[in-house]
Amino acid sequence: MRKPFIAGNWKMNLGPVEGAKLAKELKEKVKNESCRVLVAPPFVTIASVKKELEGTNILIGAQNMSDQEKGAFTGEVSADMLIQSGVSVVILGHSERRAYYHEDDAFINRKVKLALKKGLEVILCIGETLEERKSGQLEKVLSTQISGGLKDLSKDDMKKVTIAYEPVWAIGTGVTATKEDANETQAFVRAQIKELFGDSIANNVIIQYGGSVKPNNVKDLMSQEHIDGALVGGASLTSENFVPIVLFDK
Ligand code: PGA
């Protein structure tokens, strides 16, 4: 009953020309799939990708947005600008933003609330580092990121939120969490959502797994009860890799 949701996070790759080329290939090969499909290009690539994907079911996402509505915030991009550009989903709290740009849960929470208020859907990324996992802090780290990132949200808000569980040690490393490990952790994530928002929200919330998802492991991961989708980095950059991931159940 939870519709699979596969998202490609292009990170700082593919400019307007390269992005449009990939979008064209995707639109030819990905049609009316049983899952939701999203690509999240860099800001400057959104327009050319949007043009290419017009009239398709492939959603367009952004990788970040400002916590401010408008004004003198040099270098920032607002929720309204994203919406005007054809974006319907924004990825927030990615571990790279947490680690390299020092985004904390309170700051991420401000963006989550603003995005929802403006009518965007949110993919909230959470995940532990290897040190945190090894020192037995996995559950504490995740529950803090969940309660902090989703603070003050209503049940209605939660209908527009997807959680992406991405163990930091599995991102871009070629090391994937085992399907059992990922499933167990995502069951914990769902239980946390249940504590905060109740049964019905917890049963319906989409929880993606992210971290070295590839064509050869996606099916195994997606077969797990608590893995409802994937947030794909490196393997979303070519149609050769991303298409078979989207078609995992074919
Ligand atoms: P990866 O990235 O698939 O390259 O590991 C995942 C992510 O950071 O979303």
Side-chain angles (χ1 to χ4, degrees), residues 56-150:
T56 74
N57 291 330
I58 303 175
L59 302 165
I60 298 177
Q63 303 170 19
N64 185 26
M65 64 168 233
S66 175
D67 67 320
Q68 302 294 322
E69 289 207 31
K70 63 185 274 197
F73 299 98
T74 301
E76 291 293 293
V77 173
S78 73
D80 285 335
M81 292 171 188
L82 295 180
I83 292 165
Q84 255 186 55
S85 309
V87 166
S88 55
V89 183
V90 62
I91 299 170
L92 295 173
H94 191 279
S95 65
E96 286 150 18
R97 300 228 43 100
R98 292 177 190 261
Y100 307 144
Y101 304 100
H102 313 293
E103 295 198 5
D104 63 16
D105 290 321
F107 183 64
I108 293 162
N109 178 245
R110 281 212 299 280
K111 298 193 197 194
V112 169
K113 286 190 287 197
L114 180 57
L116 293 169
K117 178 179 130 190
K118 293 290 182 178
L120 288 164
E121 271 186 59
V122 168
I123 297 177
L124 174 69
C125 303
I126 58 170
E128 82 289 0
T129 64
L130 195 55
E131 296 70 46
E132 289 164 343
R133 177 174 272 252
K134 279 187 174 159
S135 60
Q137 295 181 77
L138 171 66
E139 297 195 345
K140 181 169 158 274
V141 168
L142 295 183
S143 62
T144 303
Q145 290 174 343
I146 293 167
S147 59
L150 302 177

Coordinates of all heavy atoms in Angstrom, one line a residue, residues 56-150:
T56 N 5.6 14.4 -18.5 CA 5.9 13.0 -18.1 C 5.6 12.9 -16.6 O 5.2 13.9 -16.0 CB 7.4 12.7 -18.2 OG1 8.2 13.4 -17.2 CG2 8.0 13.1 -19.6
N57 N 5.7 11.7 -16.0 CA 5.4 11.5 -14.6 C 6.6 11.7 -13.8 O 6.6 11.5 -12.5 CB 4.9 10.1 -14.4 CG 3.5 10.0 -14.9 OD1 2.7 10.9 -15.0 ND2 3.2 8.7 -15.4
I58 N 7.8 12.0 -14.4 CA 9.0 12.1 -13.6 C 9.0 13.5 -12.8 O 8.9 14.5 -13.5 CB 10.3 12.0 -14.5 CG1 10.2 10.7 -15.2 CG2 11.5 12.1 -13.6 CD1 11.4 10.5 -16.2
L59 N 9.1 13.4 -11.5 CA 9.0 14.6 -10.7 C 10.4 15.3 -10.6 O 11.4 14.6 -10.8 CB 8.7 14.2 -9.3 CG 7.3 13.5 -9.1 CD1 7.3 12.9 -7.7 CD2 6.2 14.5 -9.3
I60 N 10.4 16.6 -10.4 CA 11.6 17.3 -10.3 C 11.8 17.8 -8.9 O 10.9 18.4 -8.3 CB 11.6 18.5 -11.3 CG1 11.5 18.0 -12.7 CG2 12.9 19.3 -11.1 CD1 11.5 19.0 -13.8
G61 N 13.0 17.5 -8.3 CA 13.3 17.9 -7.0 C 14.4 18.9 -6.9 O 15.2 19.1 -7.9
A62 N 14.6 19.5 -5.8 CA 15.8 20.4 -5.5 C 16.6 19.7 -4.4 O 16.0 18.9 -3.6 CB 15.4 21.8 -5.1
Q63 N 17.8 20.0 -4.3 CA 18.7 19.4 -3.3 C 18.8 20.1 -2.0 O 19.4 19.7 -1.0 CB 20.1 19.2 -3.9 CG 20.1 18.4 -5.2 CD 21.5 18.5 -5.8 OE1 22.5 18.8 -5.2 NE2 21.6 18.2 -7.1
N64 N 18.2 21.3 -2.0 CA 18.4 22.2 -0.9 C 17.5 23.4 -1.1 O 17.0 23.6 -2.2 CB 19.8 22.7 -0.7 CG 20.1 23.5 0.6 OD1 19.4 23.3 1.6 ND2 21.1 24.3 0.5
M65 N 17.3 24.2 -0.1 CA 16.6 25.6 -0.3 C 16.9 26.4 0.9 O 17.4 25.9 1.9 CB 15.1 25.4 -0.5 CG 14.4 24.9 0.7 SD 12.6 25.1 0.6 CE 12.3 25.9 2.2
S66 N 16.6 27.7 0.8 CA 16.9 28.7 1.9 C 15.9 28.5 3.0 O 14.8 28.1 2.8 CB 16.8 30.1 1.3 OG 16.9 31.0 2.4
D67 N 16.3 28.8 4.2 CA 15.4 28.8 5.3 C 14.7 30.1 5.4 O 13.8 30.3 6.3 CB 16.2 28.5 6.7 CG 17.1 29.7 7.0 OD1 17.8 30.2 6.1 OD2 17.2 30.1 8.2
Q68 N 15.0 31.1 4.5 CA 14.3 32.4 4.5 C 13.4 32.5 3.3 O 13.7 31.9 2.2 CB 15.4 33.5 4.4 CG 16.4 33.5 5.5 CD 15.8 33.8 6.9 OE1 15.0 34.6 7.0 NE2 16.3 33.1 7.9
E69 N 12.4 33.3 3.4 CA 11.4 33.4 2.3 C 11.9 34.2 1.1 O 11.7 33.9 0.0 CB 10.1 34.1 2.8 CG 9.3 33.1 3.8 CD 7.9 33.4 3.8 OE1 7.3 33.8 2.8 OE2 7.3 33.2 4.8
K70 N 12.5 35.4 1.4 CA 13.1 36.2 0.3 C 14.0 37.3 0.9 O 14.0 37.5 2.1 CB 11.9 36.9 -0.5 CG 11.1 37.8 0.3 CD 9.9 38.3 -0.5 CE 10.3 39.5 -1.3 NZ 9.1 40.3 -1.8
G71 N 14.7 38.0 0.0 CA 15.4 39.2 0.5 C 16.9 39.1 0.3 O 17.4 38.4 -0.5
A72 N 17.6 39.8 1.2 CA 19.0 39.9 1.1 C 19.8 38.7 1.7 O 20.3 38.8 2.8 CB 19.5 41.2 1.7
F73 N 19.8 37.7 0.9 CA 20.5 36.4 1.4 C 21.3 35.9 0.2 O 20.9 35.0 -0.5 CB 19.4 35.4 1.9 CG 18.7 35.9 3.1 CD1 17.4 36.4 2.9 CD2 19.2 35.9 4.3 CE1 16.7 36.9 3.9 CE2 18.5 36.4 5.4 CZ 17.2 36.9 5.2
T74 N 22.4 36.5 0.0 CA 23.2 36.3 -1.2 C 23.5 34.8 -1.4 O 24.0 34.1 -0.5 CB 24.6 37.1 -1.0 OG1 24.3 38.5 -0.9 CG2 25.5 36.9 -2.2
G75 N 23.2 34.4 -2.6 CA 23.6 33.0 -2.9 C 22.5 32.0 -2.6 O 22.7 30.8 -2.9
E76 N 21.4 32.4 -2.0 CA 20.4 31.5 -1.6 C 19.3 31.4 -2.6 O 19.1 32.2 -3.5 CB 19.8 31.9 -0.2 CG 20.7 31.8 0.9 CD 21.0 30.4 1.3 OE1 20.1 29.6 1.7 OE2 22.2 29.9 1.1
V77 N 18.5 30.3 -2.5 CA 17.4 30.0 -3.5 C 16.1 29.7 -2.6 O 16.2 28.9 -1.7 CB 17.7 28.8 -4.4 CG1 16.5 28.5 -5.2 CG2 18.9 29.2 -5.3
S78 N 15.1 30.5 -2.9 CA 13.9 30.3 -2.0 C 12.9 29.2 -2.5 O 12.9 28.8 -3.6 CB 13.1 31.7 -2.0 OG 12.5 31.9 -3.2
A79 N 12.0 28.9 -1.6 CA 11.0 27.9 -1.9 C 10.1 28.4 -3.1 O 9.8 27.6 -4.0 CB 10.1 27.7 -0.7
D80 N 9.7 29.7 -3.0 CA 8.9 30.2 -4.1 C 9.6 30.1 -5.5 O 9.0 29.8 -6.5 CB 8.6 31.7 -3.9 CG 7.5 31.8 -2.8 OD1 6.7 30.9 -2.6 OD2 7.5 32.9 -2.2
M81 N 10.9 30.3 -5.5 CA 11.7 30.2 -6.8 C 11.7 28.8 -7.3 O 11.5 28.5 -8.5 CB 13.1 30.7 -6.5 CG 13.3 32.1 -6.3 SD 15.0 32.5 -5.8 CE 14.8 34.2 -5.3
L82 N 11.8 27.8 -6.3 CA 11.8 26.4 -6.7 C 10.4 26.1 -7.3 O 10.4 25.4 -8.4 CB 12.1 25.5 -5.5 CG 13.5 25.7 -4.9 CD1 13.6 24.7 -3.7 CD2 14.6 25.4 -5.9
I83 N 9.4 26.5 -6.7 CA 8.0 26.2 -7.1 C 7.8 26.8 -8.5 O 7.3 26.1 -9.4 CB 7.0 26.7 -6.1 CG1 7.1 25.8 -4.8 CG2 5.6 26.6 -6.7 CD1 6.4 26.4 -3.6
Q84 N 8.2 28.0 -8.7 CA 8.1 28.7 -10.0 C 8.9 27.9 -11.1 O 8.6 28.0 -12.3 CB 8.7 30.1 -10.0 CG 7.7 31.2 -10.0 CD 8.3 32.5 -10.1 OE1 9.1 32.8 -11.0 NE2 8.0 33.4 -9.1
S85 N 9.9 27.2 -10.7 CA 10.8 26.5 -11.6 C 10.3 25.1 -11.9 O 10.9 24.4 -12.7 CB 12.2 26.4 -11.1 OG 12.7 27.7 -10.7
G86 N 9.2 24.7 -11.3 CA 8.6 23.4 -11.6 C 9.1 22.3 -10.6 O 8.8 21.1 -10.8
V87 N 9.7 22.7 -9.5 CA 10.1 21.8 -8.4 C 8.9 21.4 -7.6 O 8.1 22.3 -7.2 CB 11.2 22.4 -7.6 CG1 11.5 21.6 -6.3 CG2 12.5 22.4 -8.4
S88 N 8.7 20.2 -7.2 CA 7.6 19.8 -6.3 C 8.1 19.2 -5.0 O 7.3 19.0 -4.1 CB 6.6 18.9 -7.0 OG 7.3 17.8 -7.5
V89 N 9.4 18.8 -5.0 CA 9.9 18.1 -3.8 C 11.3 18.7 -3.5 O 12.1 18.9 -4.4 CB 10.1 16.6 -4.1 CG1 10.6 15.8 -2.9 CG2 8.8 15.9 -4.6
V90 N 11.6 18.9 -2.2 CA 12.9 19.4 -1.9 C 13.6 18.4 -0.9 O 12.9 17.9 0.1 CB 12.9 20.8 -1.4 CG1 12.1 21.0 -0.1 CG2 14.3 21.3 -1.1
I91 N 14.8 18.0 -1.2 CA 15.6 17.2 -0.3 C 16.3 18.1 0.8 O 16.9 19.1 0.4 CB 16.8 16.5 -1.1 CG1 16.2 15.6 -2.2 CG2 17.7 15.7 -0.1 CD1 17.2 15.0 -3.2
L92 N 16.0 17.8 2.0 CA 16.6 18.6 3.1 C 17.4 17.8 4.1 O 17.1 16.6 4.3 CB 15.5 19.4 3.8 CG 14.7 20.4 2.9 CD1 13.5 21.0 3.7 CD2 15.7 21.5 2.5
G93 N 18.4 18.4 4.7 CA 19.2 17.7 5.7 C 20.1 16.6 5.2 O 20.4 15.7 6.0
H94 N 20.5 16.6 3.9 CA 21.4 15.6 3.4 C 22.7 15.6 4.3 O 23.1 16.7 4.7 CB 21.7 15.9 1.9 CG 22.4 14.7 1.3 ND1 23.8 14.5 1.5 CD2 22.0 13.7 0.6 CE1 24.2 13.4 0.8 NE2 23.1 12.9 0.3
S95 N 23.3 14.4 4.4 CA 24.4 14.4 5.3 C 25.6 15.2 4.8 O 26.4 15.7 5.6 CB 24.9 12.9 5.5 OG 25.4 12.4 4.2
E96 N 25.7 15.5 3.5 CA 26.7 16.3 3.0 C 26.5 17.8 3.5 O 27.4 18.5 3.8 CB 26.9 16.2 1.5 CG 27.5 14.9 1.1 CD 27.0 14.3 -0.2 OE1 26.5 15.0 -1.1 OE2 27.3 13.1 -0.4
R97 N 25.3 18.2 3.5 CA 25.0 19.5 4.0 C 25.2 19.6 5.5 O 25.6 20.6 6.0 CB 23.5 19.9 3.7 CG 23.3 19.9 2.1 CD 22.6 21.1 1.6 NE 23.1 22.4 2.1 CZ 24.0 23.2 1.5 NH1 24.5 22.9 0.3 NH2 24.4 24.3 2.0
R98 N 24.9 18.5 6.2 CA 25.1 18.5 7.7 C 26.6 18.6 8.0 O 27.1 19.3 8.8 CB 24.5 17.3 8.3 CG 23.0 17.2 8.3 CD 22.5 15.8 8.9 NE 21.1 15.6 8.7 CZ 20.2 15.8 9.6 NH1 20.5 16.2 10.8 NH2 18.9 15.5 9.4
A99 N 27.4 17.8 7.2 CA 28.8 17.7 7.5 C 29.6 18.9 7.0 O 30.4 19.4 7.7 CB 29.4 16.4 6.9
Y100 N 29.4 19.3 5.7 CA 30.3 20.3 5.1 C 29.7 21.7 5.4 O 30.5 22.7 5.3 CB 30.4 20.1 3.6 CG 30.9 18.7 3.2 CD1 30.4 18.1 2.1 CD2 31.8 18.0 4.0 CE1 30.8 16.8 1.7 CE2 32.2 16.7 3.6 CZ 31.7 16.1 2.5 OH 32.1 14.9 2.1
Y101 N 28.4 21.9 5.6 CA 27.9 23.2 5.7 C 27.3 23.4 7.1 O 26.5 24.4 7.3 CB 26.9 23.5 4.6 CG 27.6 23.3 3.2 CD1 27.4 22.2 2.5 CD2 28.5 24.3 2.8 CE1 28.2 22.0 1.3 CE2 29.2 24.1 1.6 CZ 29.0 22.9 0.9 OH 29.8 22.7 -0.3
H102 N 27.5 22.5 8.0 CA 27.2 22.6 9.4 C 25.7 22.8 9.6 O 25.3 23.6 10.5 CB 28.0 23.7 10.1 CG 29.5 23.6 9.7 ND1 30.2 22.6 10.2 CD2 30.3 24.4 8.9 CE1 31.5 22.7 9.7 NE2 31.5 23.8 8.9
E103 N 24.9 22.2 8.8 CA 23.4 22.4 9.1 C 23.0 21.5 10.3 O 23.3 20.3 10.3 CB 22.6 21.9 7.8 CG 22.9 22.8 6.6 CD 21.9 22.7 5.5 OE1 20.9 22.0 5.7 OE2 22.0 23.3 4.5
D104 N 22.3 22.1 11.2 CA 21.9 21.3 12.4 C 20.4 21.1 12.3 O 19.7 21.6 11.4 CB 22.3 21.9 13.7 CG 21.7 23.3 13.9 OD1 20.7 23.6 13.2 OD2 22.2 24.0 14.8
D105 N 19.9 20.3 13.3 CA 18.5 19.9 13.2 C 17.5 21.1 13.3 O 16.5 21.1 12.6 CB 18.2 18.9 14.3 CG 18.8 17.5 14.1 OD1 18.9 17.1 12.9 OD2 19.3 16.9 15.1
A106 N 17.9 22.1 14.1 CA 17.0 23.3 14.2 C 16.9 24.0 12.9 O 15.8 24.4 12.5 CB 17.5 24.2 15.3
F107 N 18.0 24.2 12.2 CA 18.1 24.9 10.9 C 17.3 24.1 9.9 O 16.5 24.6 9.1 CB 19.6 25.0 10.6 CG 19.8 25.8 9.3 CD1 19.5 27.1 9.2 CD2 20.5 25.2 8.2 CE1 19.8 27.9 8.0 CE2 20.8 25.9 7.1 CZ 20.4 27.2 6.9
I108 N 17.6 22.8 9.9 CA 16.9 21.9 8.9 C 15.4 22.0 9.1 O 14.6 22.0 8.2 CB 17.4 20.5 9.0 CG1 18.9 20.5 8.5 CG2 16.6 19.5 8.2 CD1 19.7 19.2 9.0
N109 N 15.0 22.0 10.4 CA 13.6 22.0 10.8 C 12.9 23.3 10.3 O 11.8 23.3 9.8 CB 13.4 21.9 12.3 CG 12.0 22.0 12.8 OD1 11.6 23.0 13.5 ND2 11.2 21.1 12.4
R110 N 13.6 24.4 10.3 CA 13.1 25.7 9.8 C 12.8 25.5 8.3 O 11.8 26.0 7.8 CB 14.1 26.8 10.0 CG 14.1 27.4 11.4 CD 14.4 28.9 11.4 NE 15.7 29.2 10.9 CZ 16.8 29.1 11.6 NH1 16.8 28.6 12.8 NH2 18.0 29.4 11.0
K111 N 13.7 24.9 7.6 CA 13.5 24.7 6.1 C 12.4 23.8 5.9 O 11.6 24.0 4.9 CB 14.8 24.1 5.5 CG 16.0 25.0 5.6 CD 17.1 24.4 4.7 CE 18.5 24.9 5.0 NZ 19.4 24.7 3.9
V112 N 12.3 22.7 6.7 CA 11.2 21.7 6.5 C 9.9 22.4 6.6 O 9.0 22.3 5.8 CB 11.3 20.6 7.5 CG1 10.1 19.7 7.5 CG2 12.6 19.7 7.2
K113 N 9.7 23.2 7.6 CA 8.4 23.9 7.9 C 8.1 24.9 6.8 O 7.0 25.0 6.4 CB 8.5 24.6 9.3 CG 8.4 23.6 10.4 CD 8.2 24.2 11.8 CE 9.4 24.8 12.3 NZ 9.4 25.1 13.7
L114 N 9.1 25.6 6.3 CA 8.9 26.6 5.3 C 8.5 25.9 4.0 O 7.6 26.3 3.3 CB 10.2 27.5 5.1 CG 10.1 28.6 4.0 CD1 9.0 29.5 4.3 CD2 11.4 29.3 4.0
A115 N 9.2 24.8 3.7 CA 8.9 24.1 2.4 C 7.5 23.6 2.4 O 6.7 23.8 1.5 CB 9.9 22.9 2.3
L116 N 7.0 23.1 3.6 CA 5.7 22.5 3.7 C 4.7 23.6 3.6 O 3.6 23.5 2.9 CB 5.5 21.7 5.0 CG 6.4 20.4 5.0 CD1 6.3 19.9 6.4 CD2 5.8 19.4 4.0
K117 N 5.0 24.7 4.3 CA 4.0 25.9 4.2 C 3.8 26.4 2.8 O 2.8 26.8 2.4 CB 4.6 27.0 5.1 CG 3.8 28.3 5.2 CD 4.5 29.3 6.1 CE 4.6 30.6 5.4 NZ 5.4 31.6 6.1
K118 N 4.9 26.3 2.0 CA 4.8 26.8 0.6 C 4.2 25.8 -0.3 O 3.9 26.0 -1.5 CB 6.2 27.1 0.1 CG 6.9 28.3 0.8 CD 6.2 29.6 0.4 CE 6.8 30.8 1.1 NZ 6.2 32.1 0.7
G119 N 4.0 24.5 0.2 CA 3.4 23.5 -0.7 C 4.3 22.5 -1.3 O 3.9 21.8 -2.2
L120 N 5.6 22.6 -0.9 CA 6.5 21.6 -1.4 C 6.4 20.3 -0.6 O 6.1 20.4 0.6 CB 8.0 22.1 -1.3 CG 8.4 23.2 -2.3 CD1 9.6 23.9 -1.9 CD2 8.5 22.7 -3.7
E121 N 6.8 19.2 -1.2 CA 7.0 18.0 -0.5 C 8.4 18.0 0.0 O 9.3 18.6 -0.6 CB 6.8 16.7 -1.4 CG 5.5 16.2 -1.5 CD 5.5 14.9 -2.3 OE1 6.2 13.9 -2.0 OE2 4.8 14.9 -3.4
V122 N 8.7 17.2 1.1 CA 10.1 17.2 1.6 C 10.6 15.8 1.7 O 9.8 14.8 2.0 CB 10.0 17.8 3.1 CG1 11.3 17.5 3.8 CG2 9.8 19.3 3.0
I123 N 11.8 15.6 1.3 CA 12.5 14.3 1.6 C 13.5 14.7 2.7 O 14.5 15.5 2.5 CB 13.3 13.7 0.4 CG1 12.3 13.3 -0.7 CG2 14.1 12.5 0.9 CD1 13.0 12.8 -1.9
L124 N 13.3 14.3 3.9 CA 14.2 14.6 5.1 C 15.2 13.5 5.2 O 14.9 12.3 5.4 CB 13.4 14.7 6.4 CG 14.3 14.9 7.6 CD1 15.0 16.3 7.6 CD2 13.5 14.8 8.9
C125 N 16.5 13.8 5.1 CA 17.6 12.8 5.2 C 18.1 12.7 6.6 O 18.3 13.7 7.3 CB 18.7 13.2 4.3 SG 18.3 13.4 2.5
I126 N 18.3 11.5 7.0 CA 18.8 11.2 8.3 C 19.9 10.1 8.2 O 19.8 9.4 7.2 CB 17.8 10.8 9.4 CG1 17.0 9.6 8.9 CG2 16.8 11.9 9.6 CD1 16.1 8.9 9.9
G127 N 20.7 10.0 9.1 CA 21.7 8.9 9.1 C 22.9 9.1 10.0 O 23.2 10.2 10.4
E128 N 23.5 7.9 10.4 CA 24.6 8.0 11.4 C 25.9 7.8 10.7 O 26.0 7.2 9.6 CB 24.4 6.9 12.4 CG 24.8 5.5 12.0 CD 24.0 4.8 11.0 OE1 23.0 5.4 10.5 OE2 24.3 3.7 10.6
T129 N 27.0 8.3 11.3 CA 28.3 8.1 10.9 C 28.8 6.7 11.4 O 28.1 6.1 12.3 CB 29.3 9.1 11.4 OG1 29.4 9.0 12.8 CG2 28.9 10.5 11.0
L130 N 29.9 6.2 10.9 CA 30.4 4.9 11.3 C 30.8 5.0 12.8 O 30.5 4.1 13.6 CB 31.6 4.5 10.5 CG 32.1 3.1 10.6 CD1 30.9 2.2 10.2 CD2 33.2 2.8 9.6
E131 N 31.4 6.1 13.2 CA 31.8 6.2 14.6 C 30.6 6.1 15.5 O 30.6 5.5 16.6 CB 32.5 7.6 14.9 CG 33.8 7.8 14.2 CD 33.7 8.0 12.7 OE1 32.8 8.7 12.2 OE2 34.4 7.3 11.9
E132 N 29.5 6.8 15.1 CA 28.3 6.8 15.9 C 27.7 5.4 16.0 O 27.3 5.0 17.1 CB 27.3 7.8 15.3 CG 27.7 9.3 15.5 CD 26.9 10.3 14.7 OE1 26.3 9.9 13.6 OE2 27.0 11.5 15.0
R133 N 27.7 4.7 14.9 CA 27.2 3.3 14.9 C 28.1 2.4 15.8 O 27.5 1.7 16.6 CB 27.1 2.8 13.5 CG 26.6 1.4 13.4 CD 26.4 0.9 12.0 NE 25.1 1.2 11.5 CZ 24.2 0.3 11.2 NH1 24.4 -1.0 11.5 NH2 23.0 0.7 10.8
K134 N 29.4 2.6 15.6 CA 30.3 1.7 16.4 C 30.2 2.0 17.9 O 30.4 1.1 18.7 CB 31.7 1.9 15.9 CG 32.1 1.2 14.6 CD 33.5 1.3 14.3 CE 33.9 0.4 13.1 NZ 35.2 0.9 12.5
S135 N 29.9 3.2 18.2 CA 29.9 3.5 19.7 C 28.5 3.4 20.2 O 28.2 3.9 21.3 CB 30.4 4.9 19.9 OG 29.7 5.9 19.2
G136 N 27.6 2.7 19.5 CA 26.3 2.3 20.1 C 25.3 3.5 20.1 O 24.3 3.5 20.8
Q137 N 25.6 4.5 19.3 CA 24.7 5.7 19.3 C 23.7 5.8 18.2 O 23.0 6.8 18.0 CB 25.5 7.0 19.3 CG 26.4 7.2 20.4 CD 27.2 8.5 20.3 OE1 26.7 9.5 20.5 NE2 28.4 8.4 19.8
L138 N 23.6 4.7 17.4 CA 22.7 4.7 16.2 C 21.3 5.2 16.6 O 20.8 6.2 15.9 CB 22.6 3.3 15.7 CG 21.6 3.0 14.6 CD1 22.0 3.8 13.3 CD2 21.5 1.6 14.2
E139 N 20.7 4.6 17.5 CA 19.3 5.0 17.8 C 19.1 6.4 18.4 O 18.2 7.1 18.0 CB 18.6 3.9 18.8 CG 18.6 2.6 18.1 CD 17.7 1.6 18.8 OE1 17.3 1.8 20.0 OE2 17.4 0.5 18.2
K140 N 20.1 6.8 19.2 CA 20.0 8.1 19.7 C 20.2 9.2 18.6 O 19.4 10.1 18.6 CB 21.2 8.3 20.8 CG 21.2 9.6 21.5 CD 22.1 9.6 22.7 CE 22.6 11.0 23.0 NZ 23.8 11.4 22.3
V141 N 21.1 8.9 17.7 CA 21.4 9.9 16.6 C 20.1 10.0 15.7 O 19.7 11.1 15.4 CB 22.6 9.4 15.8 CG1 22.7 10.2 14.5 CG2 23.9 9.6 16.6
L142 N 19.6 8.8 15.4 CA 18.4 8.9 14.5 C 17.2 9.5 15.2 O 16.5 10.3 14.5 CB 18.1 7.5 14.0 CG 19.1 6.8 13.1 CD1 18.6 5.4 12.6 CD2 19.5 7.7 11.9
S143 N 17.0 9.2 16.4 CA 15.8 9.7 17.0 C 15.9 11.2 17.2 O 14.9 12.0 17.1 CB 15.4 9.0 18.3 OG 16.5 9.1 19.3
T144 N 17.2 11.7 17.5 CA 17.4 13.1 17.6 C 17.1 13.8 16.3 O 16.5 14.9 16.2 CB 18.8 13.4 18.1 OG1 19.0 12.8 19.3 CG2 19.1 14.9 18.3
Q145 N 17.6 13.2 15.2 CA 17.5 13.8 13.9 C 16.0 13.8 13.5 O 15.5 14.8 12.9 CB 18.3 13.1 12.8 CG 19.8 13.3 13.0 CD 20.6 12.4 12.0 OE1 20.1 11.5 11.4 NE2 21.9 12.8 11.8
I146 N 15.3 12.8 13.8 CA 13.8 12.7 13.5 C 13.0 13.7 14.3 O 12.3 14.5 13.7 CB 13.3 11.3 13.7 CG1 13.9 10.3 12.7 CG2 11.8 11.2 13.6 CD1 13.7 8.8 13.1
S147 N 13.2 13.7 15.6 CA 12.4 14.6 16.4 C 12.8 16.1 16.1 O 11.9 17.0 16.1 CB 12.5 14.3 17.9 OG 13.8 14.4 18.3
G148 N 14.1 16.3 15.9 CA 14.5 17.7 15.6 C 14.1 18.2 14.2 O 13.5 19.3 14.1
G149 N 14.2 17.3 13.2 CA 13.9 17.7 11.9 C 12.4 17.9 11.7 O 11.9 18.7 10.9
L150 N 11.6 17.1 12.4 CA 10.1 17.1 12.3 C 9.4 17.9 13.4 O 8.2 17.8 13.5 CB 9.6 15.7 12.2 CG 10.2 14.8 11.1 CD1 9.7 13.3 11.2 CD2 9.9 15.3 9.7

